[in-house]
Amino acid sequence: MEGVSRVRLFDGPLDLSWRHCATTSDFFADLFALPFQSSRNDYREVRHSIGYLVNELIENAVKFRAPGEIVIEASMDSEFFKLKVLNDVDGEDVSEFQRLLADITVGDPKDLLIQRIEANAANPDMAGSGLGLLTLMSDYGARMAWIFSTADESDRICLETYASIPISQTHN
């Protein structure tokens, strides 16, 4: 695949943590915002949007993954920044995540975001709120897709998360 940058986060003695999410998202944001450095505002806006998207999806992968690596692939054309995150998920976590996706993908993301914020305010212990994904769809115009398939181990599911955000709108 031409024009795709790929990073693998390996599970090891230090374990994958939030620190890896921020460092990796900063790397992708810096790399893909370079073409916009002639305009300070464009650069900052594109860097922020890419960084937020990458960080949110890697955090979800770290939070919900089964032990093993996480693969991040990114590319950009004149209109979109595209991201793919691959990780394995324990079979027991998949149905809960699929229920969340069913809830947050059936309606206007802006309305759903407000409903989720209100629900979280009423119940701060609410797990798996979907606020990050809804924010991406509502505020950043992210288009999202998920593919669940059987992994090598019987109790695991391979999760592929796809996202794209408009770049051309960001710097108009």
Side-chain angles (χ1 to χ4, degrees):
M1 232 179 180
E2 192 175 319
V4 173
S5 296
R6 180 178 298 125
V7 171
R8 289 182 189 270
L9 302 178
F10 291 98
D11 210 358
L14 298 177
D15 201 23
L16 287 172
S17 69
W18 303 117
R19 179 181 72 255
H20 298 102
C21 301
T23 303
T24 305
S25 63
D26 284 346
F27 168 75
F28 276 104
D30 288 340
L31 178 67
F32 283 94
L34 280 175
F36 299 91
Q37 64 187 354
S38 63
S39 166
R40 182 181 169 138
N41 287 340
D42 289 351
Y43 175 81
R44 287 184 8 204
E45 178 104 11
V46 169
R47 188 189 182 290
H48 169 78
S49 296
I50 290 172
Y52 185 81
L53 173 71
V54 174
N55 191 65
E56 186 63 36
L57 295 189
I58 296 174
E59 280 185 358
N60 282 346
V62 167
K63 189 185 326 182
F64 298 112
R65 74 184 171 82
E69 70 182 28
I70 297 171
V71 178
I72 303 112
E73 296 180 352
S75 65
M76 189 168 68
D77 59 28
S78 62
E79 296 181 37
F80 293 98
F81 172 79
K82 300 169 187 167
L83 186 69
K84 175 181 174 182
V85 178
L86 289 87
N87 62 288
D88 284 355
V89 180
D90 285 323
E92 59 200 39
D93 296 329
V94 169
S95 57
E96 184 180 325
F97 187 55
Q98 288 174 324
R99 272 193 298 279
L100 172 68
L101 293 177
D103 289 345
I104 67 170
T105 57
V106 293
D108 179 72
K110 290 185 188 318
D111 294 340
L112 293 169
L113 179 60
I114 291 167
Q115 291 170 14
R116 286 286 170 155
I117 290 170
E118 290 170 350
N120 274 19
N123 183 6
D125 297 328
M126 191 170 145
S129 68
L131 283 177
L133 296 174
L134 282 170
T135 299
L136 285 168
M137 291 184 283
S138 172
D139 298 353
Y140 293 82
R143 295 186 345 222
M144 312 279 301
W146 295 267
I147 296 176
F148 297 85
S149 56
T150 306
D152 292 338
E153 297 180 36
S154 61
D155 61 337
R156 290 185 178 196
I157 301 296
C158 178
L159 173 59
E160 297 175 53
T161 302
Y162 294 86
S164 68
I165 54 172
I167 292 299
S168 58
Q169 286 183 355
T170 305
H171 67 278
N172 282 342

